[in-house]
């Protein structure tokens, strides 16, 4: 290969690597290491009209968070939804009784955000 073609290949490769690195950094800043990270520990006292949920939230200790708590039935339909406060501290354990329109099968806390 002529030397000129090698330089073109090297420059194109460097641009591709720089673009991939830039995209990776942007995605990490947007989605990596969330500041508010919820995790369901357990759910209990399941009835046709509700469920008790215990979850832990890692967040800045000096901020209050608001978490979405959701219940789904066996067929995947949403049967309960609530916004629940996570108090000051890190981590914090929250226990909440979620009212449902049918017997819940799966419980999750998809996200927590700073309380506005």
């Amino acid at each position: 290969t002529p030397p000129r073609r090698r330089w073109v290949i090297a420059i194109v490769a460097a641009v591709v690597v720089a673009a991939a690195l830039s995209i990776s950094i942007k995605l990490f800043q947007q989605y990596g290491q969330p500041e508010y990270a919820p995790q369901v520990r357990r759910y209990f006292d399941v009835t046709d009209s509700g469920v008790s949920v215990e979850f832990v939230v890692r967040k800045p200790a000096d901020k209050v968070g608001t978490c979405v708590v959701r219940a789904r039935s066996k067929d995947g339909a949403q049967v309960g939804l609530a916004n629940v406060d996570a108090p000051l501290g890190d981590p914090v354990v929250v226990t909440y009784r979620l009212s449902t329109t049918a017997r819940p099968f799966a419980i999750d806390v998809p996200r927590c955000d700073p309380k506005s």
Side-chain angles (χ1 to χ4, degrees), residues 11-109:
I11 290 172
V12 168
V15 168
V16 168
V17 167
L21 183 62
S22 174
I23 290 169
S24 297
I25 290 170
K26 174 73 175 160
L27 288 173
F28 182 78
Q29 288 172 342
Q30 189 171 354
Y31 299 109
Q33 291 185 329
E35 195 173 36
Y36 290 75
Q39 182 178 10
V40 174
R41 278 191 169 175
R42 66 187 182 119
Y43 53 93
F44 54 97
D45 194 21
V46 180
T47 67
D48 290 343
S49 61
V51 61
S52 293
V53 184
E54 180 181 279
F55 61 97
V56 63
V57 182
R58 293 201 160 279
K59 61 176 193 49
D62 62 338
K63 295 185 180 170
V64 174
T66 300
C67 300
V68 174
V69 179
R70 178 174 56 193
R72 295 189 181 274
S73 63
K74 229 175 198 176
D75 66 0
Q78 181 173 291
V79 295
L81 184 71
N83 290 320
V84 179
D85 285 348
L88 297 175
D90 179 41
V92 293
V93 176
V94 179
T95 303
Y96 181 76
R97 179 76 184 167
L98 178 65
S99 295
T100 61
T101 57
R103 189 168 195 86
F105 178 74
I107 313 302
D108 68 329
V109 181

